[in-house]
Amino acid sequence: MATSRVEYTIGGVKIHFPCKAYPSQLAMMNSIMRGLNYGQHCLLESPTGSGKSLALLCSALGWQKAQCGKPALTETKESQLKEQSIASRLSEKFLASHTCEKDDDFQPDRKRIRTAELKVTLGTSLVNLSICFVFSVQAPEPCSHCPCASTKDGVKDKDKDGSKKIPKIFFGTRTHKQITQITHELKRTVYSHVPMTILSSRDHTCVNQEVAPHSNRNERCKDLLEAKDGRSCRYYHGVQKMRDQYTLQHVHGLHDAWDIEELVTLGKRLRSCSYYAARELMQSASIIFCPYNYLLDPMIRESMDIDLAGQILVLDEAHNIEDCARESASFTLHYNSLLLSRDELDGMVNSNIRRSKHEPLRDFCYSLINWIQESQSLMSERGYESASKVWSGKDILSIFHGLGITADTFSILKQNLAAVLEKEERAGVVNGRDDMVQVPTISTATSAVLKNLFMVLDFLYRDNCRFAEDYRVALQKSYAWTNQVPPDVPDAQGFFVRPRHRQRQSVRVKAEVLTLSFWCLNPAVAFSDLSGSVHSIVLTSGTLSPMGSFSSELGVKFSIQLEANHVINKSQVWVGTVGAGPQGKKLCATFQHTETYAFQDEVGALLLHVCQVMAKGVLCFLPSYKMLDKLRDRWTNTGLWEKLEQQKTVITEPRGGAKGDFDELLQTYYDAIKYCEGRDGALLIAVCRGKVSEGLDFTDDNARAVVTIGIPFPNIKDLQASRITTVCSYSPAALLVRPKETLQLHSLNYLPLHALVYTALNCHTIKCTNIACVTI
């Protein structure tokens, strides 16, 4: 790419691009402009490495900036045109002579059509007037060839002060790591100074050391904000130090696009809450970055105060959007949580606190608990110490109807829940004096249980239960081992004796785990909240084909679709399957074969050969951590692991660990390739659906070859596996890719279920017609 900035005019909008755009980028920007101009939805496929993120940012922000320059036809501005001046009187005469009839008693209602510039010569001066032409015509039908077609409600196009409402851009992607990469791309553009924010969880943004190190950060944070133990969060009270865009840019120096780490660092320095600062910045931001489950999940949207009505929704790396949409409309209820919620509501009723509102909610919990207890006899065994029973959504609605839960009663329950969550103060006596006392409300845990239950029930009852068949409800029983400290036992005299310094030994206790899961099978359920209210939805990825099935699954009409070509030449990449190893033994990565030493030794010899012939970085992906452990143990015993380490620095992806540990591991990999001290680069062995498989760019020397072994099929014993309807027995052993210049790893969430031999070598995207896909 060239490094000089280029200006393109696409769809009547000037777009500033940081370099000369590839044809695929121009095609993407053209499609996005059409979608934004006409308020239509876009489904855009552009192979990994073709610069689609840059095209997304520049086109969307360029369009947004162009809207800011278009004057709105508000009443305020119209009144300004009627000032009693020579120019205004001349303009009124002009309008009267062209648009008014002598007798207009029987004329149709007048409607403003357009504005125009009228040049009037006064002596030697030229006056430019912005005039609103008025025609005596009936209101025209909405057309399909201009932006007016997208206006669903004229009121929504204006802010409270009457000015034109410019849509915000909500830019969602899969992971926080990808958001960091997107913001770095934004820094390359002339739009890097636009007001922005990044929505993230407390896990990534909390700077209070009393909260951040703990696993239950959300609960601890909310307890501090409510000052339940008399203490509050000092960082939250300092949020005003960084809550507005001007202060952030001109006082604290974040002039250009920033990432979440920079905001957290600033929050620590200013002793200000970066979590709530990011939320406050959303009000004045032009573009908001976040993981895309923040936009799809109705519960997260509510908690984060995200209003997508009339906004632009961009979902990058959207090949996994169906899974995310299904999960966002699903919920698993733990039986013990339901019991605790019932007990808390019972306490509210017995204490006569908003009794008329709490009582129906408590009765709802009682009904659900009784039904769960009765339904345990219907469960059938599924393997060792596990049992389950599954109902369809329609069956559950019939069962709930018998429990007295119908669409009408559910509507009343929702009103009751909203009422009990409202904060209210009443007159009372505090320390012997009259004062205002806050009415107690239910805990965060009980609120979460009811809100999530009501969320799935709302989908089930919506539009005459049209989504009922898209749900399965599963009651499951299993057992889990927990550590419990035995209670103190009194002696014969009734005294408790406990050693002062010796800690009591905990004992392992097996406890029954009972869950009720509401599984959404259709991603269109979650998208039903969005498609009708947003200005435009733009979905992009390297693997979206076939477009028709993808669009139908989401239940959204994508009027604009694009399958862009790759920028990489055919001669620069090779994609193929390897059916036999160096010893000529067949490689078949099914479960039965991967358990044999013959397969493990052969695939190890193949990987060693790849490391010997390929310089710099090599990536190897396995279906599971279990297989990774087995291969490492076998290769260690046979001496192959030592041979790999002699050739390259070998790094394996850890199962868990902190984010900092994972970043350090990646840096070790990059450094081993960059400096090559004594070895020829590095080998990174990772797992499909793991941390390495998505959201990271392995460009140039960082990935000169990619080897994929096996297919990460879901566990057939998992009850949720019944939701996957596409099954294939084809299981190639290894897939090799060798680029000559650049390779960017995109996604290994699923491997294709057919035809892994990809003959169209003009790009390194493997397409499939089923639910699974891979991009390399």
Side-chain angles (χ1 to χ4, degrees), residues 168 197 245 278-286 288 304-305:
K168 294 180 183 292
T197 191
Q245 299 285 346
R279 292 180 57 170
E280 293 285 344
L281 289 167
M282 180 169 55
Q283 302 303 318
S284 57
S286 298
I288 297 102
M304 300 291 286
D305 295 324

Side-chain angles (χ1 to χ4, degrees), residues 187-474:
K187 286 183 180 180
R188 298 175 53 196
T189 72
V190 299
Y191 308 102
S192 62
H193 62 281
V194 299
M196 62 160 285
T197 191
I198 301 174
L199 301 181
S200 183
S201 66
R202 291 176 176 86
D203 293 350
H204 292 83
T205 53
C206 182
V207 295
N208 189 333
Q209 289 306 307
E210 296 180 16
V211 176
H214 301 278
S215 59
N216 58 338
R217 297 177 187 89
N218 290 340
E219 290 75 13
R220 284 176 173 266
C221 175
K222 292 173 183 177
D223 289 345
L224 277 179
L225 295 185
E226 295 177 4
K228 288 187 175 181
D229 58 356
R231 295 182 306 142
S232 187
C233 179
R234 61 182 183 275
Y235 292 91
Y236 176 74
H237 295 297
V239 74
Q240 73 277 0
K241 299 175 185 177
M242 48 193 286
R243 72 194 305 174
D244 65 89
Q245 299 285 346
Y246 180 86
T247 302
L248 202 67
Q249 292 183 342
H250 300 282
V251 177
H252 302 309
L254 295 183
H255 301 286
D256 297 329
W258 42 268
D259 58 35
I260 200 66
E261 285 78 12
E262 291 175 289
L263 189 70
V264 170
T265 301
L266 180 62
K268 291 178 180 178
R269 179 164 60 86
L270 299 176
R271 300 178 72 84
S272 175
C273 179
S274 51
Y275 173 77
Y276 280 100
R279 292 180 57 170
E280 293 285 344
L281 289 167
M282 180 169 55
Q283 302 303 318
S284 57
S286 298
I287 184 167
I288 297 102
F289 299 97
C290 60
Y292 52 57
N293 64 310
Y294 282 42
L295 307 175
L296 296 177
D297 194 312
M299 300 305 299
I300 299 179
R301 288 203 307 270
E302 179 185 347
S303 65
M304 300 291 286
D305 295 324
I306 297 175
D307 182 11
L308 296 177
Q311 315 295 11
I312 299 168
L313 188 61
V314 178
L315 300 177
D316 196 12
E317 310 296 355
H319 48 277
N320 292 321
I321 203 72
E322 299 111 310
D323 288 339
C324 185
R326 282 189 286 262
E327 290 300 323
S328 67
S330 303
F331 173 59
T332 293
L333 171 67
H334 290 267
Y335 182 69
N336 288 338
S337 299
L338 183 60
L339 293 177
L340 293 174
S341 300
R342 177 206 60 187
D343 293 342
E344 186 175 0
L345 291 167
D346 201 33
M348 290 289 189
V349 173
N350 294 333
S351 301
N352 203 24
I353 300 172
R354 293 172 170 171
R355 181 166 186 161
S356 63
K357 306 297 182 183
H358 282 115
E359 196 166 19
L361 296 172
R362 181 200 62 179
D363 294 343
F364 167 76
C365 292
Y366 267 115
S367 298
L368 198 53
I369 289 169
N370 292 336
W371 173 73
I372 291 175
Q373 291 175 342
E374 294 170 0
S375 300
Q376 291 190 56
S377 61
L378 302 176
M379 293 191 293
S380 57
E381 296 294 325
R382 287 184 59 88
Y384 178 68
E385 291 190 338
S386 64
S388 64
K389 168 64 179 175
V390 180
W391 295 268
S392 69
K394 283 196 171 181
D395 290 340
I396 284 296
L397 290 181
S398 299
I399 292 170
F400 279 16
H401 188 276
L403 299 176
I405 305 169
T406 64
D408 293 333
T409 59
F410 173 62
S411 178
I412 298 173
L413 286 173
K414 288 194 296 182
Q415 296 172 14
N416 291 332
L417 179 60
V420 301
L421 292 177
E422 288 183 359
K423 295 188 180 297
E424 181 183 352
E425 289 186 342
R426 293 180 182 175
V429 179
V430 181
N431 296 328
R433 294 183 301 176
D434 292 339
D435 200 352
M436 297 302 294
V437 180
Q438 186 169 337
V439 177
T441 56
I442 57 177
S443 65
T444 303
T446 297
S447 172
V449 167
L450 293 176
K451 281 183 176 181
N452 281 282
L453 266 174
F454 286 9
M455 180 266 292
V456 292
L457 289 178
D458 185 65
F459 282 128
L460 283 168
Y461 285 115
R462 183 175 298 182
D463 298 338
N464 293 322
C465 308
R466 72 184 180 105
F467 293 131
E469 280 301 318
D470 296 318
Y471 274 88
R472 295 293 180 270
V473 179

Side-chain angles (χ1 to χ4, degrees), residues 55-126:
L56 278 171
L57 290 169
C58 292
S59 55
L61 289 169
W63 182 88
Q64 189 184 59
K65 182 179 179 181
Q67 302 309 300
C68 297
K70 294 182 179 180
L73 297 178
T74 64
E75 298 298 328
T76 303
K77 293 184 178 180
E78 289 177 25
S79 63
Q80 292 174 352
L81 294 177
K82 296 182 179 180
E83 294 178 352
Q84 293 303 310
S85 61
I86 297 176
S88 64
R89 288 197 296 271
L90 285 173
S91 68
E92 288 173 359
K93 287 184 179 180
F94 179 87
L95 289 173
S97 63
H98 283 78
T99 66
C100 296
E101 299 292 336
K102 291 182 180 180
D103 184 4
D104 62 350
D105 289 343
F106 300 99
Q107 298 299 324
D109 291 339
R110 297 175 178 177
K111 184 173 180 66
R112 294 188 299 274
I113 302 298
R114 66 181 184 271
T115 58
E117 291 291 326
L118 174 64
K119 296 182 179 179
V120 182
T121 305
L122 299 177
T124 58
S125 63
L126 192 66

Side-chain angles (χ1 to χ4, degrees), residues 570-639:
K570 292 181 180 181
S571 62
Q572 292 179 290
V573 64
W574 179 83
V575 180
T577 57
V578 178
Q583 307 300 323
K585 296 179 181 179
K586 183 180 179 182
L587 293 174
C588 182
T590 58
F591 176 78
Q592 293 82 0
H593 290 86
T594 56
E595 295 294 310
T596 65
Y597 288 150
F599 172 86
Q600 295 171 9
D601 294 344
E602 190 74 356
V603 78
L606 174 63
L607 185 59
L608 177 62
H609 181 70
V610 171
C611 291
Q612 290 172 340
V613 299
M614 295 302 302
K616 305 298 182 179
V618 174
L619 301 175
C620 177
F621 287 91
L622 303 173
S624 64
Y625 288 105
K626 184 179 179 182
M627 180 181 283
L628 191 155
D629 294 337
K630 284 186 179 180
L631 292 178
R632 179 168 50 192
D633 292 342
R634 176 60 181 173
W635 295 345
T636 301
N637 293 332
T638 62

